[in-house]
Amino acid sequence: MTGVFLLLMHGKCTLSATAVLPACATSALPAAAGGAPPRRLPRGVVSIVEKFGADPTGKTDSTAALQRAFTASRTDNVTLFVPLGCFRLTDTVTATQPRNGRWQPIVVVGERPKAAGRPPAFFLPPATPGFSDPGASKPLLFFITNWCLEPGAALDVAALGCNSSAQPLHDWHSSAYQFNMVLQGLDIILGEGNPSAVGVDMNAAQGSTIEDVNVFAGPDAQAGVAGGNGGGGSFK
């Protein structure tokens, strides 16, 4: 299996977010997307558009829809399918795995485009409120383990003996114990004027993968990807 992983730091790239964002905003969706019946997906795979109402045209904000999808991927054990299109995000979308929750990962897979086409994209508009502090890191997609959650369907069940002060949620080092998280076949676009923006924050381990993901960053963005998958995880 071949793949491309493009890590862009501080916007030093030949193809910038400024160049990609207009193409994303006017990207050609599949010709039959408007009136076509829902596509047939394999069992256990659900579309973020048809199931959760994310907008592939980028005209409306898909942040809340994608957060619902990320939560369902874990609680319902489903793979998220991202159809071709551009999805506008204006805040961090968090993929939360519980302690010892290797059987409840978040798996996100983009539709494969035809030759010369672009994959689906999650984009952060230029100068989005909340991403303006260069002294802070704010990821667009955040993969993390919450050690105060027991495996199961509920998000509000405290783990027995949990000590949140010893393992705070914002401490990304604690995320190295997450397993089987997958982000595949997507573009991440960080518009200019977002100096705290990080495209993807994933610091994971066994079975976790970032594959065929391109991060296009404005010149003032903080990073394309933060973290790094080790202990059985990989970037491809």
Side-chain angles (χ1 to χ4, degrees):
M1 183 180 295
T2 60
V4 176
F5 173 70
L6 180 61
L7 173 60
L8 304 183
M9 299 295 289
H10 307 299
K12 295 179 179 178
C13 56
T14 56
L15 188 57
S16 70
T18 303
V20 176
L21 190 54
C24 170
T26 59
S27 65
L29 302 177
R39 71 180 75 220
R40 295 178 62 88
L41 296 172
R43 183 178 180 183
V45 180
V46 296
S47 168
I48 68 168
V49 173
E50 294 161 2
K51 178 71 173 178
F52 300 101
D55 179 8
T57 71
K59 295 178 180 178
T60 60
D61 194 338
S62 291
T63 306
L66 191 62
Q67 185 61 70
R68 291 194 300 271
F70 272 31
T71 300
S73 180
R74 181 184 78 80
T75 57
D76 299 343
N77 289 117
V78 293
T79 293
L80 300 178
F81 174 73
V82 184
L84 296 178
C86 275
F87 299 85
R88 176 190 299 265
L89 302 180
T90 58
D91 202 353
T92 300
V93 179
T94 304
T96 304
Q97 188 173 71
R99 178 172 61 175
N100 300 323
R102 66 180 69 232
W103 297 282
Q104 291 188 295
I106 288 80
V107 178
V108 185
V109 178
E111 182 176 2
R112 187 183 297 263
K114 295 182 179 179
R118 293 225 59 85
F122 295 143
F123 76 93
L124 179 68
T128 299
F131 290 84
S132 61
D133 182 1
S137 296
K138 186 173 175 63
L140 192 62
L141 303 182
F142 189 22
F143 290 76
I144 192 169
T145 295
N146 185 344
W147 282 66
C148 288
L149 291 179
E150 288 281 15
L155 282 173
D156 58 353
V157 178
L160 188 63
C162 167
N163 184 345
S164 59
S165 62
Q167 202 75 25
L169 185 60
H170 65 268
D171 178 10
W172 67 268
H173 295 281
S174 68
S175 304
Y177 298 98
Q178 60 187 286
F179 305 101
N180 303 323
M181 305 286 236
V182 175
L183 186 67
Q184 181 185 65
L186 293 165
D187 282 350
I188 308 292
I189 304 171
L190 306 177
E192 295 185 9
N194 294 299
S196 61
V198 175
V200 183
D201 189 331
M202 181 193 283
N203 185 47
Q206 299 167 16
S208 295
T209 303
I210 293 179
E211 181 179 14
D212 292 329
V213 171
N214 300 279
V215 180
F216 300 99
D220 55 353
Q222 191 166 126
V225 172
N229 294 348
S234 66
F235 285 164
K236 292 184 68 178

